[in-house]
Protein backbone atom coordinates (compact mmCIF):
# COMPACT_ATOMS: atom_id res chain seq x y z
CA UNK A 1 0.00 0.00 0.00
CA UNK A 2 1.21 3.47 -0.88
CA UNK A 3 0.84 6.46 1.41
CA UNK A 4 0.18 9.80 -0.31
CA UNK A 5 0.78 12.94 1.77
CA UNK A 6 -1.50 15.69 0.48
CA UNK A 7 -1.06 19.36 -0.24
CA UNK A 8 -4.19 21.31 -1.13
CA UNK A 9 -3.46 24.66 -2.76
CA UNK A 10 -5.64 27.73 -2.24
CA UNK A 11 -4.43 31.19 -3.22
CA UNK A 12 -0.86 29.88 -3.39
CA UNK A 13 -0.90 28.50 0.15
CA UNK A 14 -1.14 24.97 1.57
CA UNK A 15 -4.49 24.59 3.30
CA UNK A 16 -6.93 21.96 4.48
CA UNK A 17 -10.69 22.18 4.23
CA UNK A 18 -13.40 20.54 6.31
CA UNK A 19 -16.00 18.65 4.26
CA UNK A 20 -14.84 20.46 1.13
CA UNK A 21 -16.06 23.89 2.23
CA UNK A 22 -13.77 26.63 0.88
CA UNK A 23 -14.58 29.03 3.73
CA UNK A 24 -13.32 26.39 6.19
CA UNK A 25 -9.77 26.63 4.82
CA UNK A 26 -7.01 26.56 7.44
CA UNK A 27 -3.58 27.67 6.25
CA UNK A 28 -0.67 25.38 7.14
CA UNK A 29 2.10 26.84 4.99
CA UNK A 30 2.75 29.90 2.86
CA UNK A 31 5.44 27.93 1.00
CA UNK A 32 3.91 24.59 -0.07
CA UNK A 33 7.14 23.47 -1.76
CA UNK A 34 8.79 23.35 1.66
CA UNK A 35 6.14 20.88 2.80
CA UNK A 36 6.76 18.75 -0.28
CA UNK A 37 10.45 18.62 0.60
CA UNK A 38 9.57 17.66 4.16
CA UNK A 39 7.42 14.77 2.97
CA UNK A 40 10.26 13.59 0.74
CA UNK A 41 12.69 13.69 3.66
CA UNK A 42 10.24 11.59 5.70
CA UNK A 43 10.40 8.81 3.13
CA UNK A 44 7.49 9.51 0.82
CA UNK A 45 7.64 8.52 -2.85
CA UNK A 46 4.43 10.27 -3.92
CA UNK A 47 2.69 13.58 -3.30
CA UNK A 48 -1.03 14.17 -3.82
CA UNK A 49 -1.71 17.72 -5.02
CA UNK A 50 -5.04 19.50 -5.41
CA UNK A 51 -5.57 22.92 -6.99
CA UNK A 52 -8.64 23.95 -4.97
CA UNK A 53 -9.13 27.24 -6.80
CA UNK A 54 -8.84 25.33 -10.05
CA UNK A 55 -11.50 22.83 -8.97
CA UNK A 56 -14.03 25.64 -8.69
CA UNK A 57 -12.81 27.64 -11.70
CA UNK A 58 -12.39 24.69 -14.07
CA UNK A 59 -8.88 25.78 -15.03
CA UNK A 60 -5.40 25.91 -13.42
CA UNK A 61 -5.10 28.56 -10.72
CA UNK A 62 -1.99 27.68 -8.69
CA UNK A 63 0.57 27.08 -11.42
CA UNK A 64 3.33 29.08 -9.76
CA UNK A 65 3.26 26.96 -6.61
CA UNK A 66 2.89 23.73 -8.58
CA UNK A 67 6.01 24.64 -10.57
CA UNK A 68 7.92 25.41 -7.36
CA UNK A 69 6.96 22.05 -5.89
CA UNK A 70 8.08 20.25 -9.05
CA UNK A 71 11.43 22.05 -9.09
CA UNK A 72 12.20 21.51 -5.42
CA UNK A 73 11.48 17.82 -4.88
CA UNK A 74 11.98 14.48 -6.61
CA UNK A 75 8.66 13.04 -5.51
CA UNK A 76 6.23 11.57 -8.01
CA UNK A 77 3.33 13.99 -8.28
CA UNK A 78 -0.34 13.36 -8.93
CA UNK A 79 -2.49 16.43 -9.41
CA UNK A 80 -6.18 17.20 -9.58
CA UNK A 81 -8.48 20.19 -9.52
CA UNK A 82 -10.17 21.77 -12.52
CA UNK A 83 -8.66 19.57 -15.22
CA UNK A 84 -11.33 19.47 -17.91
CA UNK A 85 -9.56 19.16 -21.28
CA UNK A 86 -6.58 17.56 -23.03
CA UNK A 87 -4.74 20.86 -23.32
CA UNK A 88 -4.60 21.17 -19.53
CA UNK A 89 -3.52 17.55 -19.18
CA UNK A 90 -0.67 18.12 -21.62
CA UNK A 91 0.31 21.32 -19.85
CA UNK A 92 0.67 19.52 -16.55
CA UNK A 93 2.49 16.53 -18.04
CA UNK A 94 4.94 18.92 -19.71
CA UNK A 95 5.39 20.61 -16.34
CA UNK A 96 6.52 17.29 -14.86
CA UNK A 97 3.34 16.03 -13.23
CA UNK A 98 3.45 12.23 -13.24
CA UNK A 99 -0.27 11.61 -13.46
CA UNK A 100 -3.41 13.73 -13.48
CA UNK A 101 -6.66 13.25 -11.59
CA UNK A 102 -9.95 13.73 -13.44
CA UNK A 103 -13.00 14.25 -11.24
CA UNK A 104 -15.98 16.32 -12.41
CA UNK A 105 -15.28 15.57 -16.07
CA UNK A 106 -15.38 11.83 -15.30
CA UNK A 107 -19.05 12.20 -14.40
CA UNK A 108 -19.99 14.50 -17.25
CA UNK A 109 -17.81 13.10 -20.03
CA UNK A 110 -16.74 9.54 -19.19
CA UNK A 111 -15.83 8.80 -22.82
CA UNK A 112 -13.37 11.69 -22.79
CA UNK A 113 -11.69 10.24 -19.70
CA UNK A 114 -11.46 6.81 -21.29
CA UNK A 115 -9.85 8.36 -24.35
CA UNK A 116 -7.35 10.27 -22.22
CA UNK A 117 -6.49 7.09 -20.29
CA UNK A 118 -5.17 5.58 -23.53
CA UNK A 119 -2.61 8.35 -23.95
CA UNK A 120 -1.82 9.64 -20.46
CA UNK A 121 -1.47 8.42 -16.90
CA UNK A 122 -4.95 9.12 -15.61
CA UNK A 123 -6.50 8.68 -12.17
CA UNK A 124 -10.25 9.06 -11.67
CA UNK A 125 -11.34 10.95 -8.59
CA UNK A 126 -14.69 9.83 -7.20
CA UNK A 127 -15.84 12.15 -4.44
CA UNK A 128 -19.15 11.22 -2.86
CA UNK A 129 -21.81 12.83 -0.71
CA UNK A 130 -24.20 10.26 0.75
CA UNK A 131 -23.07 7.75 -1.89
CA UNK A 132 -23.60 10.08 -4.86
CA UNK A 133 -20.82 11.74 -6.84
CA UNK A 134 -19.99 15.35 -5.95
CA UNK A 135 -18.77 17.66 -8.72
CA UNK A 136 -17.50 21.21 -9.28
CA UNK A 137 -15.18 21.26 -6.29
CA UNK A 138 -17.78 19.35 -4.25
CA UNK A 139 -20.18 22.27 -4.59
CA UNK A 140 -22.81 20.11 -6.33
CA UNK A 141 -24.15 16.59 -5.83
CA UNK A 142 -24.91 14.69 -9.03
CA UNK A 143 -27.48 11.91 -9.46
CA UNK A 144 -24.75 9.39 -10.27
CA UNK A 145 -23.99 6.69 -7.70
CA UNK A 146 -20.31 6.50 -6.78
CA UNK A 147 -20.20 2.73 -7.29
CA UNK A 148 -21.80 3.05 -10.74
CA UNK A 149 -19.11 5.53 -11.76
CA UNK A 150 -16.43 3.13 -10.52
CA UNK A 151 -17.92 0.38 -12.70
CA UNK A 152 -17.84 2.77 -15.68
CA UNK A 153 -14.03 2.85 -15.51
CA UNK A 154 -13.46 -0.80 -14.58
CA UNK A 155 -11.70 -1.64 -17.84
CA UNK A 156 -10.87 1.84 -19.14
CA UNK A 157 -7.14 1.71 -18.50
CA UNK A 158 -7.08 4.26 -15.69
CA UNK A 159 -4.19 3.87 -13.25
CA UNK A 160 -6.30 4.15 -10.13
CA UNK A 161 -9.47 5.47 -8.55
CA UNK A 162 -9.27 7.86 -5.64
CA UNK A 163 -12.44 7.74 -3.57
CA UNK A 164 -13.34 10.38 -1.01
CA UNK A 165 -16.26 10.46 1.38
CA UNK A 166 -16.79 14.23 1.42
CA UNK A 167 -18.65 14.04 4.71
CA UNK A 168 -15.53 12.61 6.35
CA UNK A 169 -12.93 14.78 4.62
CA UNK A 170 -10.95 16.96 7.00
CA UNK A 171 -12.93 15.81 10.04
CA UNK A 172 -10.38 13.41 11.57
CA UNK A 173 -13.30 11.08 12.31
CA UNK A 174 -11.73 8.03 10.70
CA UNK A 175 -11.84 6.65 7.17
CA UNK A 176 -15.06 5.26 5.67
CA UNK A 177 -13.69 1.79 4.97
CA UNK A 178 -16.98 0.27 3.78
CA UNK A 179 -17.38 2.97 1.13
CA UNK A 180 -13.77 2.52 0.02
CA UNK A 181 -14.19 -1.24 -0.30
CA UNK A 182 -17.42 -0.80 -2.27
CA UNK A 183 -15.56 1.37 -4.78
CA UNK A 184 -12.64 -1.07 -4.96
CA UNK A 185 -14.95 -4.00 -5.66
CA UNK A 186 -17.01 -2.07 -8.21
CA UNK A 187 -14.05 -0.72 -10.16
CA UNK A 188 -11.63 -3.60 -9.87
CA UNK A 189 -8.66 -1.25 -10.25
CA UNK A 190 -6.16 0.14 -7.74
CA UNK A 191 -8.21 2.12 -5.24
CA UNK A 192 -6.85 4.93 -3.07
CA UNK A 193 -8.72 5.85 0.11
CA UNK A 194 -9.23 9.48 1.07
CA UNK A 195 -11.17 11.50 3.61
CA UNK A 196 -11.16 11.38 7.39
CA UNK A 197 -7.91 9.53 8.11
CA UNK A 198 -7.09 10.14 11.76
CA UNK A 199 -4.30 7.89 12.99
CA UNK A 200 -2.22 4.75 12.56
CA UNK A 201 -5.26 2.60 13.32
CA UNK A 202 -6.91 3.86 10.12
CA UNK A 203 -3.80 3.02 8.11
CA UNK A 204 -3.64 -0.43 9.69
CA UNK A 205 -7.32 -1.16 8.94
CA UNK A 206 -6.91 -0.19 5.29
CA UNK A 207 -3.78 -2.27 4.94
CA UNK A 208 -5.49 -5.27 6.50
CA UNK A 209 -8.22 -5.25 3.83
CA UNK A 210 -5.57 -6.18 1.23
CA UNK A 211 -7.87 -4.56 -1.35
CA UNK A 212 -6.84 -0.92 -0.96
CA UNK A 213 -3.73 0.15 -2.88
CA UNK A 214 -3.16 3.50 -1.22
CA UNK A 215 -4.31 6.14 1.24
CA UNK A 216 -4.16 9.94 1.15
CA UNK A 217 -3.18 11.68 4.37
CA UNK A 218 -3.79 15.37 4.95
CA UNK A 219 -5.15 16.94 8.10
CA UNK A 220 -4.05 14.00 10.30
CA UNK A 221 -0.46 14.98 9.59
CA UNK A 222 -1.01 18.72 9.84
CA UNK A 223 -2.88 18.46 13.14
CA UNK A 224 -0.44 15.93 14.59
CA UNK A 225 -2.82 12.97 15.07
CA UNK A 226 -0.73 10.79 12.75
CA UNK A 227 3.04 10.28 12.87
CA UNK A 228 3.96 9.98 9.20
CA UNK A 229 7.28 8.28 9.85
CA UNK A 230 5.48 5.54 11.79
CA UNK A 231 2.87 5.33 9.02
CA UNK A 232 5.53 4.81 6.35
CA UNK A 233 7.14 2.13 8.50
CA UNK A 234 3.79 0.39 9.00
CA UNK A 235 2.96 0.15 5.30
CA UNK A 236 6.45 -1.05 4.41
CA UNK A 237 6.31 -4.05 6.75
Amino acid sequence: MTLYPAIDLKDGKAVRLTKGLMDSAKIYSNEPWELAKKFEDMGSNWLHLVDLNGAFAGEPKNLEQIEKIRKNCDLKLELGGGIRDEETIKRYIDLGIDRVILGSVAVKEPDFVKKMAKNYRIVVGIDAIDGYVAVEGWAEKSNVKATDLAKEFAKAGVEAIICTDVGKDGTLEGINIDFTLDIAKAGGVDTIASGGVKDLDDIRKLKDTKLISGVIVGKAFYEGTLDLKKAFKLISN
Side-chain angles (χ1 to χ4, degrees):
M1 193 170 78
T2 302
L3 197 155
Y4 298 78
I7 295 178
D8 289 358
L9 299 168
K10 180 177 184 285
D11 305 330
K13 299 176 175 61
V15 307
R16 299 304 294 175
L17 307 183
T18 299
K19 298 184 180 181
L21 300 173
M22 284 291 266
D23 60 6
S24 71
K26 181 177 180 179
I27 298 170
Y28 288 97
S29 175
N30 291 320
E31 294 293 347
W33 68 268
E34 294 179 351
L35 276 176
K37 195 66 184 165
K38 188 173 185 178
F39 291 138
E40 185 175 20
D41 292 343
M42 284 182 173
S44 186
N45 294 315
W46 277 94
L47 177 65
H48 176 81
L49 278 171
V50 178
D51 178 354
L52 290 174
N53 302 105
F56 282 88
E59 61 183 12
K61 289 293 182 181
N62 282 281
L63 277 171
E64 183 180 348
Q65 285 299 335
I66 293 166
E67 288 174 351
K68 280 186 180 180
I69 289 169
R70 179 66 290 169
K71 289 176 182 175
N72 285 284
C73 74
D74 293 321
L75 293 166
K76 294 178 183 177
L77 304 180
E78 64 176 26
L79 170 68
I83 304 171
R84 309 279 199 269
D85 52 47
E86 187 171 6
E87 182 181 350
T88 305
I89 293 172
K90 285 181 177 177
R91 188 176 187 182
Y92 279 136
I93 297 295
D94 290 344
L95 195 67
I97 300 301
D98 294 279
R99 63 189 191 188
V100 298
I101 304 162
L102 301 180
S104 294
V105 72
V107 182
K108 297 175 178 179
E109 300 178 59
D111 288 342
F112 167 77
V113 176
K114 292 173 185 176
K115 182 180 177 183
M116 292 301 99
K118 293 178 181 178
N119 300 312
Y120 307 99
R121 299 179 68 186
I122 299 295
V123 175
V124 169
I126 299 180
D127 308 319
I129 298 173
D130 302 325
Y132 287 85
V133 180
V135 295
E136 307 302 333
W138 300 352
E140 301 174 17
K141 184 167 75 170
S142 73
N143 59 2
V144 178
K145 283 188 176 181
T147 48
D148 287 344
L149 189 61
K151 290 175 186 175
E152 180 81 30
F153 296 104
K155 296 180 181 179
V158 300
E159 288 216 344
I161 291 175
I162 296 171
C163 61
T164 306
D165 180 345
V166 174
K168 288 275 194 178
D169 194 67
T171 65
L172 298 178
E173 293 177 352
I175 199 86
N176 186 339
I177 291 182
D178 290 340
F179 167 69
T180 308
L181 288 173
D182 286 345
I183 295 294
K185 292 170 184 175
V189 299
D190 283 354
T191 301
I192 300 168
S194 172
V197 171
K198 179 184 179 182
D199 50 29
L200 273 178
D201 193 43
D202 279 326
I203 307 295
R204 190 175 291 109
K205 286 176 182 175
L206 288 167
K207 184 183 178 186
D208 287 347
T209 69
K210 303 190 186 307
L211 285 176
I212 308 304
S213 68
V215 56
I216 293 169
V217 174
K219 188 171 280 190
F221 163 74
Y222 295 110
E223 291 292 330
T225 65
L226 175 69
D227 185 324
L228 266 189
K229 288 184 178 179
K230 288 183 179 178
F232 283 123
K233 186 175 181 179
L234 173 64
I235 64 172
S236 65
N237 290 336

